[in-house]
């Protein structure tokens, strides 16, 4: 019986250690309180709206960037997985065309976030207001090259 417990404990330890080694470091922290604060103050929105909106935009950027480039962004944003998980699901696409038509100018990558923003109770025009705040945050934390990765992916 003792041998079985030791064997089980050893196996569980190996599984835990192996799993811990494969989880990206950015998934171990809650979403950056500093970025959430900048968004809530700058846009007069709730912390949930800030977290979900940033997550939607980070998700849009992640889908357009290489894993290495997105990793550079994630490395300077504490709690990246928390942001990504907070983004509302955009499945179904209901209302997307009317939302994207309400967005001014050439928004490209921002259009995919419009449905998520609507689900957060934010207007489509708020999408483009997030980008400069998030870009400035990235520039302060990781430099202009990291900030340009996000801005380029969201054009």
């Amino acid at each position: 019986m003792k041998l079985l417990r030791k064997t089980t404990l050893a196996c569980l330890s190996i599984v835990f250690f192996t799993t811990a080694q494969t989880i990206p470091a950015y998934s171990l922290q809650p979403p950056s309180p500093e970025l959430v604060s900048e968004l809530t103050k700058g846009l007069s929105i709730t912390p949930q709206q800030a977290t979900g909106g940033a997550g939607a935009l980070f998700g849009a950027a992640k889908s357009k960037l290489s894993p290495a480039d997105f990793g550079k962004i994630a490395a300077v944003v504490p709690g990246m997985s928390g942001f990504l998980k907070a983004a509302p699901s955009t499945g179904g696409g209901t209302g997307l065309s009317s939302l994207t038509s309400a967005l001014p100018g050439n928004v490209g990558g921002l259009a995919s976030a419009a449905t998520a923003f609507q689900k957060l109770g934010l207007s489509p025009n708020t999408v483009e207001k997030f980008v400069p705040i998030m870009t400035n945050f990235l520039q302060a934390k990781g430099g202009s090259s990291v900030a340009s990765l996000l801005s380029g992916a969201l054009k």
Side-chain angles (χ1 to χ4, degrees):
M1 187 69 163
K2 285 185 179 184
L3 179 60
L4 179 62
R5 283 186 188 158
K6 287 182 181 181
T7 304
T8 303
L9 182 59
C11 289
L12 289 174
S13 296
I14 291 170
V15 168
F16 176 77
F17 179 76
T18 304
T19 304
Q21 296 300 311
T22 61
I23 298 172
Y26 62 80
S27 70
L28 302 176
Q29 300 174 339
S32 168
E34 186 179 353
L35 177 55
V36 171
S37 176
E38 288 181 26
L39 290 166
T40 57
K41 290 177 184 174
L43 301 173
S44 299
I45 58 176
T46 68
Q48 292 79 14
Q49 290 172 319
T51 305
L57 291 173
F58 283 134
K62 183 178 182 181
S63 71
K64 293 181 181 234
L65 294 170
S66 70
D69 283 345
F70 186 74
K72 292 174 188 175
I73 293 173
V76 298
V77 179
M80 178 58 79
S81 70
F83 281 112
L84 295 172
K85 288 178 185 174
S89 169
T90 57
T94 57
L96 183 60
S97 60
S98 64
L99 287 171
T100 56
S101 65
L103 289 167
N106 179 16
V107 293
L110 299 182
S112 65
T115 301
F117 273 64
Q118 182 185 35
K119 288 181 178 184
L120 292 166
L122 298 169
S123 74
N125 292 331
T126 309
V127 174
E128 66 181 13
K129 296 176 183 176
F130 266 66
V131 177
I133 295 171
M134 293 171 62
T135 303
N136 289 339
F137 178 84
L138 288 175
Q139 184 161 351
K141 300 297 179 186
S144 60
S145 64
V146 174
S148 68
L149 288 171
L150 180 69
S151 63
L154 296 177
K155 285 187 178 177

